[in-house]
Amino acid sequence: MDAQGRGRAEDIDPADQWVLNPETGDYELRLPPSAPQSPIPAPRRGSSAPAREAPAPRRRRAAPEEPPPGRRDRRRPAKKKSRGKKILLWTGGTMAFVVLAVGAAGYLYLQHLNDNIESLPDDGASTGGFQKDQAINILLIGTDKRTGSGNDGYGDKGSAGHADTTILLHVAKDRSNATALSIPRDLIVDVPDCPTTQEDGSTKVIPGSSGVRFNTSLGQSGRTPSCTMRTVTELTGVTPDNFMVADFNAVKTLTSAVGGVEVCLAKDIDDPDSHLKLPAGKHTVEGEQALAFVRTRHSVGFGGDLSRIEIQQQFLGSLMRKLKSNDTLTSPTKMVKLAEAGTEALTVDAKLKSIGKLKDLGLELGKLDTKNLTFATVPVKDNPAEKTPVTVVLKDGPAQQVFDMVKNDVSFTEVKKKEKEKKEKEDAAVAARLEGEKSEPSEIRVRVLNGGASSGSAGRELTYLQNEAGVTKSENAGNAPAEVAKTTLEYAPDQADQARALAEILGLSGAAMKPGESVTNAQGLPAMTLTLGKDFKGAGVKLDATSAKAPEDLQKSTADKVECAK
């Protein structure tokens, strides 16, 4: 390039070539009018494509000429940019250039993040992984296993770890709301037999235990997170899609990556066990101090695990707000630190072992509004079998209400007005299936199949229908081709009056009614198909759970509010 060409290149500020597009929020390369504007990329080095002729350099005019009479000069006088604006444009232009220029480095960095991720098999205990068009259930497990430097001063030094903090995170199918359900570590449960993958690839069945603490579902006798998954499924009736395990280091590194999270105390705390020492009021905690905060229990509430659950829920709500804040999302430094910390600190199931899958999950969770994220605790009471209670047991009725709400995707909070109206419209269309004329019970023809209920359920339901409900034209059709979570009634359009009558008898919701086709019964006549799902509670027991409400005394809070620990 000659001296004249070099002089013209120096006149072009690189920042002026990168312009912020207000519609997309991205910087775009805008070449000067004299530059070639072909959308076809230049041929790669070594290509046989003919080279283009470079445009002749334009000569610089010594001075602007006067426009001819009657003709307006199309060139506008250049505006002098302020120093601040020039710096801003230069920074944006440089960032955009870097993003375009480091494609190979970016790929290597993603590989690095993938290599950071540790995973364990789910051993068939999950649904097979979350899906974007379905409700999501993620099991979050905080273990007290002492790994990493600086964690050997917290007691239980040689422990294999327990399911010390466990949360079942349910995200609604429409992403309008979510529930983080805490399961107390001292809850008495039955841990089922657990097929577990060994290091050599073989499978060993670890025997279950009855009437033990929930936290023994992990670490003890070689149990892995897949065993905690099975225990949660047996307890709640909800099968998790995936699991994530975090140890002490996860709390420290994640909070440091986002620059700390805000917490609040209603009183001074000096807890020698957790090492938390803070005066009353609001504080920003990270690292060791954040770990001390989530571990404290003797100095808050009644001094037990349930009190610690409350303080952990406050902490997680604050962390959610920080993760969704502009302060975090617009900081490349924090986002990189967060990616590093998250991939290094968390152990996930094998179906989540890729940065792509974790990104997809993050995008789904990012759709949530924190005011519609409810933290709740499984309703429990002191164990009546203990003279001095140290464990807890379920409050059967309220606990079942909570489990049913999660299973049936019922929100614990009011969702946004627009989302609520949409859901109400959909619910109204489903509820309309129950409206209209109803046949007499004696006119109902139905085949009953067992699709996941306890053994013999189809026979017992048939006995109830024939002897007590008057549905005499019913028959036992054995087992369904596959198990289903919810009981359904499939019927043809001309059987709608029969379907409404049977739905009323069984307490079926409109959602359980599936317009479709009839089948032929043993007499060769068209009949409906009633498939008893895993939600079937017994012959004659009403099934509708869509109108469930949270128990009045349920311990819960939402992630959008700061509540001071007492």
Side-chain angles (χ1 to χ4, degrees), residues 3-23:
Q4 183 182 7
R6 286 195 302 271
R8 288 197 53 75
E10 290 169 357
D11 286 343
I12 300 175
D13 187 337
D16 295 338
Q17 295 179 280
W18 293 95
V19 180
L20 179 65
N21 185 333
E23 294 182 0

Side-chain angles (χ1 to χ4, degrees), residues 350-368:
K351 293 179 175 62
L352 270 183
K353 185 180 166 51
S354 81
I355 196 65
K357 267 291 183 183
L358 289 173
K359 177 208 69 176
D360 290 343
L361 178 59
L363 290 174
E364 295 303 310
L365 298 180
K367 297 174 183 178
L368 288 171

Side-chain angles (χ1 to χ4, degrees), residues 54-349:
R58 295 172 59 187
R59 295 179 179 273
R60 190 191 305 178
R61 295 178 182 177
E65 299 177 0
E66 290 291 329
R71 181 178 169 190
R72 184 178 298 173
D73 188 0
R74 294 181 181 177
R75 290 180 300 130
R76 296 181 181 177
K79 294 181 180 179
K80 190 174 182 179
K81 295 180 177 67
S82 68
R83 176 177 173 81
K85 186 175 181 181
K86 224 171 177 61
I87 291 174
L88 176 63
L89 286 171
W90 172 250
T91 305
T94 302
M95 285 299 295
F97 175 78
V98 169
V99 169
L100 291 172
V102 296
Y107 172 77
L108 292 175
Y109 183 65
L110 290 179
Q111 287 297 104
H112 160 71
L113 292 179
N114 275 325
D115 292 341
N116 280 351
I117 303 171
E118 290 191 16
S119 68
L120 290 169
D122 68 358
D123 297 316
S126 76
T127 62
F130 79 92
Q131 298 180 45
K132 294 182 181 180
D133 59 347
Q134 298 295 326
I136 297 174
N137 294 295
I138 304 294
L139 190 62
L140 308 175
I141 307 171
T143 175
D144 59 354
K145 186 175 182 180
R146 275 61 175 163
T147 58
S149 61
N151 294 326
D152 54 359
Y154 295 113
D156 274 355
K157 184 176 179 180
S159 172
H162 304 76
D164 203 45
T165 299
T166 305
I167 295 175
L168 178 62
L169 176 63
H170 171 81
V171 184
K173 181 178 179 179
D174 63 4
R175 308 298 185 254
S176 66
N177 65 90
T179 302
L181 185 63
S182 293
I183 302 174
R185 68 174 190 178
D186 296 328
L187 175 63
I188 296 300
V189 297
D190 293 336
V191 177
D193 292 345
C194 301
T196 306
T197 303
Q198 305 299 297
E199 290 186 4
D200 61 0
S202 64
T203 299
K204 174 184 178 182
V205 177
I206 300 175
S209 304
S210 299
V212 295
R213 279 183 168 92
F214 176 86
N215 68 349
T216 62
S217 64
L218 175 68
Q220 312 310 298
S221 304
R223 291 172 179 146
T224 65
S226 67
C227 193
T228 306
M229 263 188 165
R230 295 184 193 278
T231 305
V232 168
T233 301
E234 184 153 311
L235 174 69
T236 66
V238 178
T239 301
D241 299 308
N242 300 96
F243 68 72
M244 291 184 173
V245 182
D247 60 13
F248 286 172
N249 286 325
V251 176
K252 295 192 288 188
T253 57
L254 288 173
T255 53
S256 295
V258 297
V261 298
E262 187 181 80
V263 297
C264 184
L265 297 172
K267 61 182 181 181
D268 297 347
I269 287 186
D270 186 357
D271 188 343
D273 293 318
S274 70
H275 310 308
L276 180 66
K277 186 174 183 179
L278 284 175
K282 293 183 179 179
H283 306 275
T284 298
V285 297
E286 64 175 282
E288 290 285 350
Q289 198 173 46
L291 177 60
F293 184 85
V294 298
R295 292 190 65 252
T296 194
R297 61 188 174 110
H298 297 302
S299 301
V300 293
F302 295 104
D305 185 49
L306 296 181
S307 298
R308 184 175 63 168
I309 285 176
E310 290 185 41
I311 206 170
Q312 289 174 344
Q313 290 172 346
Q314 180 207 137
F315 176 85
L316 289 173
S318 183
L319 179 59
M320 279 290 292
R321 292 193 298 275
K322 191 62 178 285
L323 289 172
K324 289 177 69 68
S325 70
N326 287 334
D327 182 47
T328 299
L329 297 177
T330 59
S331 170
T333 302
K334 286 184 179 179
M335 293 301 286
V336 169
K337 285 184 177 179
L338 195 58
E340 288 284 350
T343 53
E344 288 181 351
L346 299 175
T347 298
V348 300
D349 66 89

Side-chain angles (χ1 to χ4, degrees), residues 369-388:
D369 188 327
T370 52
K371 74 178 182 181
N372 292 324
L373 169 58
T374 301
F375 290 100
T377 304
V378 173
V380 295
K381 60 184 179 181
D382 288 340
N383 190 346
E386 297 171 341
K387 186 174 293 185
T388 303

